[in-house]
Amino acid sequence: MKKSAFAIILLSFFLCLYAQEDVFEDAKIDTSSPENKEEKIPPPPQSEIDSALAKIREIFAEKLKSPDKKAKIELGENFLEESKNTKYPLNLRYAFLSEAQKIFTEMADGENLVKSIELMAVTFSIDKIKIYFEKLMLAGRNTKTTDENLSIANAYKTLYDLCIEQLLFDDANNALNAALSFARKSKNKDLEEIIKAEQKDFLNLKRQYLLVLPSIQKLSKEPNNKNANLNVGKFYCFVFDKWEEGLLYLKNSDDEKFSKAATIELSNPVDPQIMLQLADLWWELSEDRNNKEYQIPLTKRACFWYENALSALEGLDKLRIEKRIQTAYTYIFKTNLEIPKDCIIALSFDQDTISRRGSRYIIRNLVGNAYNAIAHDVSLKKISLKDSVVEFDGIKSQIEIKNPREDLSKDFTLAMWLKTEEDNRRRNPYNKSYGAEGTITIETDNSVNFYFGSSGTDAEPYTSINCPNAVINGKWSHIAIVRDSSRRNVSIYLNGEKKAEKVYDFVVKSSEKDILIGSGYAGAFKGQIDDFILVNRALTDKEIRRMFKAGERKFQ
């Protein structure tokens, strides 16, 4: 958000002071980006923080006293932005974060409170969980509206995830109970059901952890104990979904097949035949009766490696693997997503379709071919007990899919549900090439343009079709683009109805560019996207309407 001119003048004046005042005399200037540091910095001495806080409160006294909630939250957001400036002394940066947290606590703004704590943890070595509990307890006392209660409930859910990540079961239980309490106060039945389901998952995870705890304790004394390594490896891989940690244990286990599969995977294979061998090993383990409890995670792992090998396979090997993947998907990934005939990419973004591989998240293509998506800097948000959507920050978030081998320059249908946040910039929810197969751009007036052309790259010649008033900030819309190459016709559908149509007089060319969701040449998309569909033919009006109806109950 933009600061007022008055606030900028005050802040500039304040920043000029630190070279002259004792308050900053001994403060260290942080000249490197925190993202490039291997070690975090301890918080500055409390006396230095207090001195910086006193100066901030003196200069912004009137704004801090404002009864206007929106203005105070905006001030807190401005403090967050200022805390990122590495030219400022560390005590000033820490003080900006502390004062922002105080504002968000008073305003019961759980979303911004989470951002401020996470931002503090980027640079400073803090007890993040302790700070979460302290600030959320205070913020919870200040809630007055259902929206504020909902905000605190979601913040406690974030804290729960953090506690579970570290296997802190008592803290996780406290966070989840608090989340449920505030969800009830918010009268949000969907969130309440989600948290109740997570409570069941929590109890199951805790039960599994207690069963494996003796093996964990044994390994602290006997790190080479084969059976203990097997038990702990199974827990981390198949229950806790921490494959990087779990594979190391499985490698040292006394089970020949698990040890072999883990050894191959830890070598990070790139040869398609070795990837195929690894996938077959996981598949074989999934079919073993002794591993029935872990059948789904083992099958998912097999599919992950089959998909990695698929693009290099040919003939019968390829047919066998494609059929095996499709068979697995029918019972692993259950979805209400309407998947049309000839679909080449279908992404539901539900949590059971997403797996972590190092720092990346792999999103399963429900069609079962090799076109899985790789997500960067996105977050998942549950909107019901079974459904999740993907959230884009408008800065770095994007999802990429390798350039499909199918020709998308001819008959083509692209559809998705999206919800935009207020943003005065042009942005791309979908990007391929505006001078070739096509790109969707949301304009500053919230109209939608579909650009496509005959250059085969991002260059002229190209044309566009516009659909005015296509999206409303904060509301879900179903957008579909249909190109019928035989009629040289392109249409835009909004919520199941055709809203724009255009005839073109050239041959659309293909590009070599990959598909990007949530990012592109015009700018990064800020908001949420779900139920992404890409079809290698022009769907009919009836099919578009059916696709819209399939998702309408979920989003309206």
Side-chain angles (χ1 to χ4, degrees), residues 88-300:
Y88 296 171
L90 290 170
N91 63 330
L92 178 56
R93 294 178 64 191
Y94 195 94
F96 272 128
L97 289 165
S98 295
E99 195 62 21
Q101 288 171 14
K102 185 172 183 291
I103 291 171
F104 301 141
T105 297
E106 292 171 352
M107 297 296 103
D109 184 346
E111 182 179 356
N112 273 318
L113 187 54
V114 167
K115 288 179 182 177
S116 68
I117 296 171
E118 293 297 327
L119 191 55
M120 182 177 278
V122 168
T123 302
F124 299 101
S125 55
I126 59 172
D127 187 340
K128 194 159 62 169
I129 290 176
K130 180 181 178 182
I131 292 174
Y132 261 112
F133 273 115
E134 289 175 351
K135 302 300 182 184
L136 286 175
M137 183 180 66
L138 294 172
R141 295 172 182 169
N142 296 324
T143 58
K144 298 182 180 69
T145 67
T146 54
D147 284 345
E148 288 169 352
N149 281 303
L150 180 62
S151 177
I152 299 302
N154 282 317
Y156 268 115
K157 278 186 81 275
T158 299
L159 174 56
Y160 165 74
D161 291 338
L162 181 62
C163 295
I164 281 296
E165 189 78 12
Q166 299 180 39
L167 294 173
L168 300 173
F169 289 103
D170 289 343
D171 286 338
N173 187 50
N174 291 336
L176 204 54
N177 286 336
L180 181 59
S181 174
F182 283 100
R184 285 170 174 159
K185 291 177 184 178
S186 75
K187 304 186 187 306
N188 188 309
K189 294 297 183 184
D190 283 340
L191 181 59
E192 190 176 335
E193 290 304 310
I194 288 168
I195 294 170
K196 285 179 179 178
E198 288 189 343
Q199 284 181 321
K200 292 180 181 178
D201 292 340
F202 166 76
L203 291 173
N204 179 57
L205 179 63
K206 185 176 181 180
R207 178 182 64 82
Q208 297 271 16
Y209 177 75
L210 291 175
L211 288 173
V212 80
L213 185 57
S215 293
I216 293 173
Q217 293 169 337
K218 184 176 283 291
L219 287 178
S220 66
K221 298 176 181 178
E222 303 173 38
N224 295 320
N225 186 287
K226 299 293 186 181
N227 188 57
N229 272 290
L230 179 63
N231 293 334
V232 175
K234 285 181 176 180
F235 172 79
Y236 274 105
C237 288
F238 313 139
V239 178
F240 202 39
D241 197 27
K242 296 288 185 183
W243 285 79
E244 291 81 4
E245 293 94 330
L247 288 169
L248 294 169
Y249 292 106
L250 290 180
K251 179 182 176 181
N252 294 322
S253 73
D254 55 1
D255 187 294
E256 184 180 346
K257 290 181 180 178
F258 276 117
S259 179
K260 183 178 180 181
T263 300
I264 295 173
E265 182 150 345
L266 286 168
S267 71
N268 295 313
V270 294
D271 185 318
Q273 290 304 316
I274 296 177
M275 289 192 281
L276 187 58
Q277 177 192 4
L278 176 58
D280 284 339
L281 272 171
W282 290 125
W283 186 275
E284 184 180 343
L285 285 162
S286 76
E287 292 183 319
D288 189 326
R289 287 186 197 176
N290 295 323
N291 300 322
K292 187 175 181 180
E293 183 181 1
Y294 308 122
Q295 184 178 23
I296 288 179
L298 283 165
T299 305
K300 283 184 179 181

